[in-house]
Amino acid sequence: MSTSVSEPQAAQAIRIADVCKNYGDYQVLKNINAEVARGEVVVICGPSGSGKSTLIRTVNRLEEINSGGISFEGQNIHAPMRGSELNKLRSRIGFVFQSFNLFPHLSVVENVSMSPIRVKGVAPDVAHDKALKLLDRVGLADKANSYPGQLSGGQQQRVAIARALAMEPPVMLFDEPTSALDPEMVGEVLSVMKSLAAEGMTMLCVTHEMGFARDVADRIWFIDAGEILETAPPEEFFKNPRHPRAQRFLADLRH
Amino acid sequence: MIQDFITIIQDYWLLLLIGQYPNGPLGGLANTLILSALAIAFAFPVSILMALARLSKWWFLRWPMTALVYVTRGVPLLMLILWCYFVIPLWTGADVPSFLIMLVTLVIYQGAFLSEVVRAGIVSLGQGQMDAARALGHGYMSAMRFVILPQALYNMIPSMISTFVSTIKDTTLGYVINVPDLTFAASQVNNQLLTQPFQVFLILAVVYYILCWSLTFVANSVERRIARRRAGPRNARLPAEAAPLKTITEQL
């Protein structure tokens, strides 16, 4: 089910233009300019407090910005618009949170099928079948009737990915999807993300998993103190980082 | 002594049950139950609207509702009842039945208390649930309806039950404006007997106790059933987390 209004087909899935954001006097994002092409996997990395999470949250307008614009498939998501219009745009941008944020009062399959039913108006039985397929895809078909509280962190995050995919978004955003997980559960989430990338999903991921960045990303954005200091393909970024701050960051990681 | 109770109940059970009905207005326990049920039934949705207004980003909803809640919570219920009793007929010029006045007062008063419980339930969920719902494309009201309120109201069941129980107990204050409820009937009985106030009012106390206790009992078993359905190693702590709130609100 596509909710297409006549949209200009832009080459980029996401275009971030001159984005600035302040918390009071503190400038979190300083004049960010960047693009994500269709089918591209971009990993945002950088030290903590650098503005990575804030940046990714501005892309679906969970955070407001002070100036600039972010266009998603040619439409500026930060333009003044009606709530319903914003909701429609948001429903086409999948978002995966660090802390999963599953709905604890709903079973796993309800978590996945609820929004297609309530937001897109998909028939409940259709949405239910689709949810079961998605759960199967993330390896959790047997947990469909469990509640989130009964799952491990890694399982919860895979459900969260399935929930986001249920809206059939052309773009997926990941905000440190493995940072709240025990180490032995990181792999199962990353492998789901890898398979998504292999299928050609456009992805923007904030992550500290440098192995994932190296293997899967098409490009790395290195961000510090609210500025994108370097964008480069992973081989280049990890071998020859140009910016001194990026060199120091990578050196610290190796220790 | 026991014989006294039996005699009183034998002689006056009908008066205690339905008041003067059908020769006069419906009263007694029946009226207490109707008043309590209506007050709870109206106060509950009203409290949700009040809580949403207090959390609204629009000042013209937030400010008046905050003022109303503060005033209501800061004034004794008896004062509010008397005030409505004398002011509403002045405003409307109509002869408003005391039952209706009592109902409106209770809905406002308990709605204000309940709205604070609901608001606490919403706020305590944190921003994550709302973010998740918005990211999936839910509008504010849709997120409230399908994500936030089901959880907030469930977590607040113990506190809401305390408020419901105090609503039942507060219906007794209708006595001062002649609402013909159970308390009113009991005092009529007492006026006829003159010599057995202890027995009469003990019967009254027992009936109220059973009424309030059974509401608590039903609510607790509903809560346990939901908890069991969701049970898991992590969620087992949910009812326990809500428990301290119960002890706080019960002291109100």
Side-chain angles (χ1 to χ4, degrees):
Chain A
M1 188 184 151
S2 75
T3 50
S4 69
V5 214
S6 65
E7 284 169 352
Q9 285 291 310
Q12 308 87 11
I14 299 166
R15 229 184 111 222
I16 304 172
D18 305 322
V19 165
C20 296
K21 180 177 174 61
N22 313 315
Y23 289 126
D25 287 340
Y26 180 68
Q27 203 172 5
V28 207
L29 298 177
K30 296 172 193 161
N31 209 34
I32 303 273
N33 281 286
E35 289 173 6
V36 182
R38 286 174 196 283
E40 194 180 27
V41 178
V42 170
V43 164
I44 307 177
C45 66
S48 46
S50 57
K52 309 183 292 288
S53 285
T54 309
L55 175 61
I56 202 166
R57 285 169 62 89
T58 61
V59 175
N60 70 347
R61 204 168 165 178
L62 282 179
E63 298 276 352
E64 296 291 337
I65 57 179
N66 292 90
S67 62
I70 297 176
S71 68
F72 163 66
E73 302 200 315
Q75 231 178 322
N76 183 3
I77 196 165
H78 283 276
M81 64 175 87
R82 296 160 56 103
S84 56
E85 213 175 323
L86 177 59
N87 296 336
K88 207 169 215 173
L89 278 176
R90 271 190 184 133
S91 73
R92 307 190 60 229
I93 305 176
F95 199 102
V96 176
F97 296 85
Q98 179 178 357
S99 48
F100 331 133
N101 293 343
L102 291 183
F103 305 135
H105 61 300
L106 300 176
S107 70
V108 164
V109 67
E110 287 167 343
N111 261 279
V112 179
S113 63
M114 194 258 285
S115 299
I117 297 170
R118 301 297 181 189
V119 176
K120 288 170 79 175
V122 177
D125 49 335
V126 176
H128 185 87
D129 290 349
K130 175 94 190 300
L132 290 179
K133 279 197 196 97
L134 284 167
L135 287 173
D136 189 42
R137 180 164 160 196
V138 299
L140 289 170
D142 56 323
K143 299 287 185 191
N145 294 313
S146 303
Y147 280 81
Q150 297 165 302
L151 305 183
S152 73
Q155 291 170 330
Q156 289 194 51
Q157 193 61 297
R158 284 187 280 153
V159 174
I161 293 173
R163 179 177 70 176
L165 290 174
M167 298 299 284
E168 303 180 327
V171 168
M172 288 282 285
L173 310 177
F174 294 84
D175 183 10
E176 304 204 28
T178 57
S179 299
L181 297 177
D182 292 338
E184 74 267 25
M185 294 170 183
V186 171
E188 61 191 67
V189 172
L190 290 182
S191 78
V192 169
M193 290 169 65
K194 277 180 191 169
S195 75
L196 263 183
E199 288 164 29
M201 175 65 80
T202 308
M203 291 163 62
L204 183 58
C205 322
V206 173
T207 180
H208 294 291
E209 295 298 326
M210 290 305 136
F212 174 83
R214 200 188 307 256
D215 297 344
V216 182
D218 297 309
R219 256 187 322 150
I220 311 267
W221 299 353
F222 177 75
I223 177 169
D224 185 39
E227 278 179 290
I228 293 184
L229 298 180
E230 182 164 350
T231 71
E235 8 0 313
E236 205 178 307
F237 178 75
F238 287 109
K239 275 206 197 101
N240 299 310
R242 290 187 307 269
H243 199 281
R245 185 66 189 89
Q247 290 164 4
R248 197 143 39 91
F249 176 75
L250 288 171
D252 287 344
L253 280 184
R254 287 192 194 99
H255 292 152
Chain B
M1 183 74 181
I2 300 290
Q3 194 54 47
D4 290 347
F5 288 111
I6 294 171
T7 316
I8 292 174
I9 291 170
Q10 271 175 345
D11 290 351
Y12 294 105
W13 67 273
L14 198 60
L15 178 66
L16 290 172
L17 204 60
I18 57 172
Q20 307 285 348
Y21 193 79
N23 303 318
L26 183 68
L29 180 61
N31 212 25
T32 291
L33 286 176
I34 292 172
L35 182 58
S36 305
L38 285 177
I40 290 172
F42 285 116
F44 183 58
V46 162
S47 74
I48 292 175
L49 294 178
M50 287 168 97
L52 292 183
R54 286 207 56 188
L55 292 169
S56 169
K57 60 184 174 187
W58 294 310
W59 62 266
F60 56 87
L61 287 178
R62 198 172 61 238
W63 291 358
M65 200 49 73
T66 305
L68 178 67
V69 168
Y70 270 77
V71 168
T72 311
R73 284 169 32 120
V75 170
L77 177 56
L78 188 56
M79 217 74 1
L80 212 58
I81 293 168
L82 291 173
W83 200 62
C84 289
Y85 182 64
F86 293 117
V87 169
I88 288 181
L90 271 183
W91 278 350
T92 58
D95 184 19
V96 186
S98 56
F99 178 89
L100 201 59
I101 289 177
M102 190 61 200
L103 179 60
V104 169
T105 316
L106 276 176
V107 167
I108 294 171
Y109 186 78
Q110 299 297 351
F113 275 90
L114 212 47
S115 78
E116 289 295 271
V117 172
V118 173
R119 193 173 66 98
I122 291 171
V123 170
S124 70
L125 282 185
Q127 190 59 38
Q129 292 288 312
M130 183 53 107
D131 280 353
R134 298 312 294 271
L136 286 161
H138 289 269
Y140 180 80
M141 289 318 278
S142 169
M144 273 292 164
R145 177 166 161 213
F146 298 115
V147 176
I148 306 295
L149 283 178
Q151 296 181 63
L153 297 182
Y154 167 73
N155 291 344
M156 290 292 124
I157 286 176
S159 312
M160 288 194 296
I161 294 311
S162 309
T163 314
F164 291 163
V165 165
S166 67
T167 306
I168 296 177
K169 292 193 274 193
D170 287 344
T171 59
T172 56
L173 284 173
Y175 177 74
V176 300
I177 57 169
N178 294 325
V179 177
D181 70 337
L182 181 60
T183 311
F184 190 81
S187 84
Q188 279 181 313
V189 172
N190 184 46
N191 289 344
Q192 288 181 27
L193 292 172
L194 287 173
T195 53
Q196 295 174 311
F198 171 74
Q199 287 86 336
V200 170
F201 288 110
L202 188 63
I203 292 171
L204 186 64
V206 168
V207 173
Y208 276 114
Y209 182 82
I210 292 171
L211 206 58
C212 296
W213 179 83
S214 46
L215 178 60
T216 312
F217 179 81
V218 169
N220 284 346
S221 57
V222 168
E223 189 193 0
R224 259 198 304 277
R225 221 177 41 220
I226 301 176
R228 217 176 305 131
R229 192 165 61 94
R230 288 187 204 170
R234 280 154 204 265
N235 264 7
R237 68 190 155 76
L238 267 178
E241 256 178 23
L245 284 163
K246 183 181 183 181
T247 46
I248 292 167
T249 46
E250 273 176 355
Q251 287 162 7
L252 286 174

